[in-house]
Amino acid sequence: MLKCRTVWKKLAPLARAPSTVCRQNVKRAGLNNGRTPVHVPVAHMSTGFAGGGWDNQLYILLLGATCVGGGIYVYNLIKEDQQRYQNRMAQILSRSEKAAIEKTAVSIQSELSEELSPPAEAVAPGETTEPPQVGSTPAKPKVPSHAPYLLIGGGTASFAAARSIRARDPGAKVLIVTDEPDLPYMRPPLSKELWFSDDPSVTETLRFKQWNGKERSIYFQPPSFYINSEEMDSSENGGVAVLTGKKVVHMDVRGNKVKLDDDTEISYDKCLIATGGVPRNLQVIERAGDEVVKRTTLFRKVEDFKSLDKVSRNVKSITVIGGGFLGSELACALGRRSAESGLEVIQMFPEKGNMGKVLPEYLSNWTTEKVKKEGVKIISEALVKSVTYKDDRLEIKLKDGRLVKTDHIIAAVGLEPSVDLAKSAGLEVDSDFGGYRVNAELQARSNIWVAGDAACFYDIRLGRRRVEHHDHAVVSGRLAGENMTGANKPYWHQSMFWSDLGPDVGYEAIGIIDSSLPTVGVFAKATAKDTPKAATEQSGTGIRSESETEDTAISPVASPTSAPTEEQHKDDYGKGVIFYLRDKVVVGIILWNVFNRMPVARKIIKDGEEHADLNEVAKLFNIHDD
């Protein structure tokens, strides 16, 4: 059509030209004669070119050629349109037939699969079906677009907050987002009771016997306790859903929404950050290369327990770097195993004795001797200079020139709070203690709370602090959940922590425990009842903070006459109480092989009074009773 129009535009002036020339000639003749002609015969008016008959024939020839060309063009255009239409219809029909064939094939394959697969009733409870074949993609759980209560992190603090929210708001819909593949679980057994289990399949069951002989799982609740994340929107009675294997990477505080690592967005009404922390590593290990790094364990999660258990059964030597709670617990646990398997267990640390940063020197030295009796080789005052991989072994060179050869390293040198969301959320990170800075109500912003290891909170008795223990995660998570439902309570509870060096030696502590503070210790002879095993038999629980109550505490009665003096310590510290002082006020207490007396210790710190004779205060713990 475009070509036809172009040709016509070129020929149209030629067709109009003869008529125009004829009219102009007539008009000119009239002007010359001075009058208008009366009659001009139509037969004599030319419609062709000016000139003779040849001109008219040429004009008719051009006009005819134009008409024939236009007709040919239109015919070809219509024919091409018809061909395109037929091709298009053929494609559509072909596509429909292909879809029908594929649908039939899928249907046949599905029927075959149903015939070959065993019936659902044939699978025993607790057993899992065969994993999907290679190439199949399991359906991903639907991520809800909105969660009234969003809890970031899947640890103890998040679970405690979820239960607290549901207790105050029974219809609440709570979504826990965790980057771990597991449901919420307790971490203390990973370095304690699980290592003393006689069950060879403990790494799969994750069930253990407590010191009192009772068995339990590390998981707070079975999967049936939770609802599916897909059902959260439609659940009439609400519930707690857990989204595993997902990490929150960005937080939009103004828009009340977060972004996951797969770019999914979730909006929220109220949010809790309980991201915990990540284990620190030594820089000399990080710079040592892949061979050293892959032979180093940073102990924190279930997968770390499983992998370390496997390593301990396949190597000849393991070295634990770090003398704190975690390092000493793992060293004792592995030391017990060394008696059976011949495993060499080495523990090295920069302090003079085990837990030298928290225990007084005399008690740290005594603890070190206890750890040695568990089959652990202790290297104290050890500063690591370099780590290399040579001849299929790791060589640890110390700054004083000592060289230690081993097969595997456990780096237990502390925890770094996870504050990755601080930048995007605009939240303050404490420069002294680390972690998100919150007020006494654990609130970082108007609708954002922080609990657990990542919270740097204001203690109304002891000032600003950050605590990395199980009981603090429980208590702070519970309080955050209450405040998310409108309680507006301050964090006044003094959380406790405990450590067991096997079933025979353990302690519970509260407040500020720092060996640089002045201490007063009062000890007595221990009996068979003064062990972690006996304590759990009496309380009925292996997680001793679960038996804590406030109403059992009594007001301490101290004598005003004598001044506090440090008791002369004997070589055997069977059981006792160690008071940590700041400005003559008790700010921390360790109960050494003294159990189920924590409410008394909590009351002493809460009162914040000066005591003239701490020996009298120690009597409140009944340490002299048989």
Side-chain angles (χ1 to χ4, degrees):
M1 291 297 295
L2 293 176
K3 292 181 179 179
C4 185
R5 290 177 182 175
T6 304
V7 173
W8 176 251
K9 287 181 179 179
K10 293 180 179 181
L11 296 177
L14 297 177
R16 289 192 298 265
S19 298
T20 305
V21 172
C22 181
R23 286 193 298 269
Q24 290 177 352
N25 290 336
V26 172
K27 185 177 180 181
R28 190 178 300 113
L31 292 174
N32 293 336
N33 296 330
R35 56 182 176 88
T36 302
V38 178
H39 176 69
V40 179
V42 178
H44 294 282
M45 181 175 289
S46 173
T47 57
F49 287 104
W54 171 250
D55 293 336
N56 289 338
Q57 291 178 4
L58 180 61
Y59 167 74
I60 293 172
L61 182 62
L62 290 175
L63 184 61
T66 302
C67 293
V68 172
I72 294 173
Y73 173 80
V74 171
Y75 172 79
N76 291 334
L77 184 63
I78 294 175
K79 188 175 181 180
E80 291 175 0
D81 287 344
Q82 289 179 347
Q83 185 65 36
R84 283 195 296 267
Y85 173 79
Q86 292 176 358
N87 293 339
R88 180 62 176 168
M89 292 301 297
Q91 290 177 0
I92 294 174
L93 292 175
S94 176
R95 192 177 303 168
S96 301
E97 291 174 359
K98 184 178 179 181
I101 293 172
E102 290 178 351
K103 184 176 181 181
T104 303
V106 171
S107 176
I108 293 173
Q109 185 178 3
S110 177
E111 292 175 1
L112 289 174
S113 299
E114 292 176 358
E115 291 176 1
L116 295 174
S117 300
E121 295 80 12
V123 181
E127 294 183 357
T128 57
T129 58
E130 291 296 324
Q133 296 180 355
V134 177
S136 62
T137 304
K140 295 182 179 180
K142 179 183 177 182
V143 178
S145 59
H146 179 76
Y149 295 95
L150 177 63
L151 313 183
I152 304 175
T156 300
S158 273
F159 181 79
R163 298 198 70 166
S164 180
I165 291 170
R166 292 278 295 169
R168 290 176 54 88
D169 184 2
K173 298 178 180 180
V174 183
L175 177 63
I176 298 176
V177 180
T178 173
D179 58 354
E180 294 192 49
D182 302 286
L183 295 173
Y185 61 90
M186 59 187 79
R187 298 190 191 275
L190 297 179
S191 59
K192 296 180 175 70
E193 294 92 340
L194 282 175
W195 290 98
F196 296 88
S197 174
D198 297 328
D199 184 3
S201 62
V202 65
T203 55
E204 301 300 327
T205 64
L206 296 177
R207 297 186 64 85
F208 61 95
K209 285 186 178 181
Q210 303 167 120
W211 303 140
N212 60 6
K214 295 182 179 180
E215 188 179 87
R216 70 177 297 174
S217 170
I218 69 168
Y219 294 101
F220 291 110
Q221 291 292 342
S224 58
F225 171 82
Y226 305 95
I227 64 174
N228 293 329
S229 57
E230 297 92 335
E231 302 173 358
M232 197 177 72
D233 292 337
S234 59
S235 177
E236 295 181 358
N237 298 322
V240 180
V242 182
L243 199 60
T244 59
K246 301 289 185 181
K247 184 177 182 180
V248 177
V249 296
H250 187 272
M251 194 169 187
D252 182 1
V253 175
R254 292 185 178 181
N256 284 0
K257 61 183 179 181
V258 300
K259 179 186 289 186
L260 306 184
D261 49 4
D262 59 358
D263 290 333
T264 305
E265 290 189 348
I266 304 175
S267 61
Y268 61 85
D269 295 332
K270 296 180 180 179
C271 179
L272 171 70
I273 300 176
T275 49
V278 294
R280 291 192 184 101
N281 197 359
L282 296 175
Q283 291 186 357
V284 292
I285 295 178
E286 292 177 343
R287 297 194 299 259
D290 294 339
E291 293 295 334
V292 173
V293 171
K294 72 180 183 181
R295 289 172 174 80
T296 301
T297 294
L298 303 179
F299 198 87
R300 177 68 173 171
K301 303 177 181 179
V302 170
E303 293 302 319
D304 301 326
F305 164 72
K306 292 181 178 180
S307 63
L308 185 58
D309 177 80
K310 183 178 180 180
V311 167
S312 67
R313 300 180 188 276
N314 293 282
V315 299
K316 296 181 179 180
S317 174
I318 293 180
T319 298
V320 181
I321 300 179
F325 304 110
L326 179 62
S328 299
E329 289 173 0
L330 290 175
C332 287
L334 293 170
R336 284 286 182 97
R337 180 170 291 184
S338 67
E340 303 174 357
S341 61
L343 174 69
E344 180 188 38
V345 180
I346 305 170
Q347 185 184 14
M348 59 174 62
F349 40 78
E351 298 80 24
K352 292 183 179 180
N354 285 77
M355 293 178 286
K357 291 184 178 181
V358 295
L359 297 179
E361 185 176 348
Y362 64 88
L363 194 56
S364 172
N365 294 335
W366 183 87
T367 303
T368 302
E369 295 302 316
K370 275 288 187 181
V371 174
K372 288 180 180 179
K373 292 180 181 180
E374 294 292 338
V376 181
K377 180 182 178 181
I378 299 295
I379 303 178
S380 59
E381 299 181 277
L383 296 173
V384 179
K385 181 179 180 180
S386 65
V387 182
T388 57
Y389 178 70
K390 183 178 180 181
D391 298 332
D392 294 331
R393 302 205 74 189
L394 299 177
E395 294 186 355
I396 305 173
K397 187 175 182 180
L398 305 182
K399 290 188 176 181
D400 58 6
R402 288 179 288 180
L403 184 66
V404 178
K405 294 184 178 182
T406 188
D407 297 319
H408 196 83
I409 292 175
I410 302 173
V413 292
L415 190 74
E416 193 72 30
S418 297
V419 292
D420 297 338
L421 297 175
K423 185 175 181 180
S424 62
L427 302 180
E428 182 181 2
V429 176
D430 191 88
S431 58
D432 296 325
F433 300 98
Y436 297 98
R437 194 177 178 93
V438 296
N439 58 18
E441 289 78 25
L442 303 181
Q443 199 169 21
R445 297 283 287 268
S446 59
N447 60 343
I448 299 176
W449 289 259
V450 186
D453 299 343
C456 182
F457 62 98
Y458 180 76
D459 188 320
I460 59 177
R461 176 58 60 189
L462 302 177
R464 189 156 292 279
R465 304 174 63 197
R466 192 178 67 82
V467 181
E468 299 174 357
H469 297 291
H470 175 84
D471 186 57
H472 165 68
V474 173
V475 175
S476 63
R478 182 189 304 141
L479 178 65
E482 292 179 0
N483 288 341
M484 291 173 76
T485 55
N488 297 322
K489 294 180 180 180
Y491 188 20
W492 59 267
H493 176 86
Q494 288 296 327
S495 61
M496 56 89 71
F497 61 94
W498 77 98
S499 181
D500 295 334
L501 304 179
D504 301 324
V505 178
Y507 63 87
E508 297 175 351
I510 190 173
I512 298 176
I513 308 300
D514 188 342
S515 60
S516 64
L517 294 174
T519 60
V520 173
V522 181
F523 291 85
K525 186 177 180 180
T527 66
K529 299 183 296 183
D530 302 315
T531 63
K533 181 177 180 179
T536 54
E537 289 175 349
Q538 180 179 352
S539 66
T541 176
I543 306 299
R544 294 199 287 274
S545 61
E546 294 178 358
S547 62
E548 291 294 304
T549 55
E550 290 293 326
D551 54 358
T552 58
I554 59 175
S555 297
V557 178
S559 172
T561 55
S562 58
T565 58
E566 180 133 353
E567 183 179 316
Q568 272 192 328
H569 304 294
K570 300 179 181 180
D571 292 338
D572 187 14
Y573 305 104
K575 65 177 180 179
V577 182
I578 302 97
F579 300 96
Y580 290 74
L581 306 176
R582 187 170 64 188
D583 299 330
K584 299 182 180 180
V585 175
V586 177
V587 295
I589 299 175
I590 283 183
L591 304 181
W592 187 262
N593 270 346
V594 176
F595 307 100
N596 302 319
R597 296 288 188 274
M598 190 51 63
V600 179
R602 185 174 286 114
K603 185 76 166 68
I604 294 171
I605 293 180
K606 182 179 179 182
D607 290 344
E609 299 175 354
E610 291 187 23
H611 300 285
D613 189 354
L614 290 174
N615 288 283
E616 292 295 322
V617 179
K619 294 179 181 179
L620 298 172
F621 298 93
N622 301 326
I623 63 172
H624 299 289
D625 295 347
D626 292 335

